[in-house]
Amino acid sequence: MTDEEIISHFRETNALLEGHFLLSSGLHSNRYLQCAKVLMYPDRAALLCRALAEKVENTLGANSVDIVVAPAMGGVIVGYEMARQLNVPGMFTERENGEFTFRRGFSLTPGARVVMSEDIVTTGKSSRECIAAITAAGGTVVAATCLIDRSNGTADVGVPLVSLMQMEVQTFEPDNLPAELQGTTAIKPGSRDIK
Ligand SMILES: O=P(O)(O)OC[C@H]1O[C@H](OP(=O)(O)OP(=O)(O)O)[C@H](O)[C@@H]1O
Ligand SMILES: O=C(O)c1cc(=O)[nH]c(=O)[nH]1
Ligand SMILES: [Mg+2]
């Protein structure tokens, strides 16, 4: 799947937003990729995750994954579809007092080979937090995946990161906003509690 085909799925579903956004990391941006708008279409979710699962298999080899774990909320749908495409089970972690935890009776077999599946990577902070929770629960994270790596390959999540597409999207510290964003109110689409 080419980058143009991937981005077309975002454009056609109005998932490529422009405005003023407060990101999960606390950084600001004039662009936002709302993956939920793409993933609301099961056929598009399947096409994108099939292509990403193929990349994982090319990187790790066949039958190298025991389970997919995804961080809620953004990772839930993509994690489900990645598990389906890799033909393994999938589960998710969710925040409790700000920390990713396994709830709902989810647990990992010690040493289970885990692919951690995100929707978006900007700084990699959420990915690293989810990977830490998986490791603490006894899993071995063999790779991380995301649909779009907004860091253009610069985010370090501590394990190989397989992205469907890399993009370079500018981000800004809150006290260093460009003129176009100054004086406008930032929208915060994600669910992380930013103090
Ligand atoms: O690489 P990062 O800088 O961590 O940014 C990317 C993270 O931000 C978004 O989640 P968010 O925390 O907004 O919550 P959500 O998944 O509930 O939407 C997205 O789903 C990633 O998890
Ligand atoms: O960094 C984020 O929080 C973020 C950026 C983006 O483009 N999309 C998203 O869901 N989260
Ligand atoms: Mg998220």
Side-chain angles (χ1 to χ4, degrees):
M1 188 178 275
T2 64
D3 282 1
E4 196 39 55
E5 287 169 330
I6 296 161
I7 212 66
S8 291
H9 285 287
F10 283 80
R11 281 212 192 88
E12 288 164 13
T13 57
N14 298 318
L16 206 51
L17 308 179
E18 291 190 8
H20 182 180
F21 304 98
L22 175 57
L23 306 180
S24 178
S25 51
L27 297 172
H28 291 239
S29 181
N30 56 5
R31 291 268 181 99
Y32 198 85
L33 294 143
Q34 185 48 276
C35 285
K37 294 287 291 291
V38 182
L39 298 170
M40 64 185 275
Y41 300 99
D43 53 344
R44 294 184 194 269
L47 279 172
L48 294 169
C49 291
R50 177 70 238 143
L52 183 53
E54 275 169 14
K55 277 190 157 186
V56 171
E57 284 165 345
N58 289 340
T59 304
L60 299 179
N63 302 316
S64 302
V65 181
D66 297 316
I67 191 158
V68 170
V69 177
M73 184 63 207
V76 171
I77 296 174
V78 80
Y80 171 84
E81 190 59 32
M82 285 302 292
R84 200 167 77 91
Q85 297 293 343
L86 290 166
N87 198 25
V88 296
M91 55 175 74
F92 53 86
T93 61
E94 52 201 304
R95 291 191 192 277
E96 205 170 48
N97 301 320
E99 306 273 315
F100 281 128
T101 53
F102 288 85
R103 302 184 65 199
R104 299 168 203 278
F106 287 151
S107 65
L108 292 169
T109 306
R113 297 167 302 173
V114 180
V115 163
M116 192 288 303
S117 286
E118 260 287 17
D119 54 350
I120 297 284
V121 165
T122 300
T123 64
K125 187 176 178 185
S126 298
S127 297
R128 289 189 295 273
E129 289 172 353
C130 186
I131 289 167
I134 295 165
T135 305
T140 302
V141 181
V142 291
T145 69
C146 64
L147 293 178
I148 310 287
D149 174 6
R150 290 180 45 139
S151 82
N152 206 18
T154 64
D156 181 3
V157 302
V159 299
L161 174 62
V162 183
S163 64
L164 186 57
M165 182 177 166
Q166 294 182 343
M167 280 174 72
E168 185 161 7
V169 191
Q170 271 191 304
T171 51
F172 307 97
E173 296 288 347
D175 57 1
N176 195 23
L177 297 181
E180 63 174 290
L181 298 185
Q182 282 176 25
T184 65
T185 305
I187 295 165
K188 185 185 151 304
S191 72
R192 184 203 281 268
D193 197 12
I194 302 173
K195 294 280 182 301

